[in-house]
Amino acid sequence: MLCLTGEDDRATLVPDGFNLGAYRFDHALNLHHITDAPASTFEAADGDMVRAYNRLIAIQADQWERGDIFDLPQLAQAA
């Protein structure tokens, strides 16, 4: 799941169990583990998840509007 808290500029990736912490990509696409998840339960993270997916949809819409094309296999290797 993606979570984007109000004070963050970048979403965190949260595994299904909120007790496993979270992960965040840095500017170089290196993945970093964060010990504490941004919320302790699915219900507590609901607003942050909605915020993250709304932001993702907005980014995608901007890219489509500009006509951006991405080489997905190359990007998948970087991630």
Side-chain angles (χ1 to χ4, degrees):
M1 295 169 283
L2 293 176
C3 284
L4 181 61
T5 61
E7 61 270 0
D8 281 340
D9 65 342
R10 142 182 338 223
T12 54
L13 303 166
V14 181
D16 286 342
F18 285 87
N19 60 337
L20 300 175
Y23 297 87
R24 181 187 306 252
F25 285 103
D26 64 17
H27 292 292
L29 293 179
N30 296 311
L31 191 62
H32 299 275
H33 181 253
I34 302 166
T35 306
D36 296 323
S40 58
T41 65
F42 184 82
E43 291 79 15
D46 186 55
D48 294 339
M49 288 188 294
V50 169
R51 187 177 297 110
Y53 286 101
N54 283 340
R55 179 68 181 126
L56 184 60
I57 290 166
I59 290 169
Q60 182 182 35
D62 288 344
Q63 291 170 344
W64 282 347
E65 189 174 302
R66 289 192 310 261
D68 292 344
I69 298 172
F70 297 99
D71 183 6
L72 292 179
Q74 181 181 354
L75 289 176
Q77 289 174 359

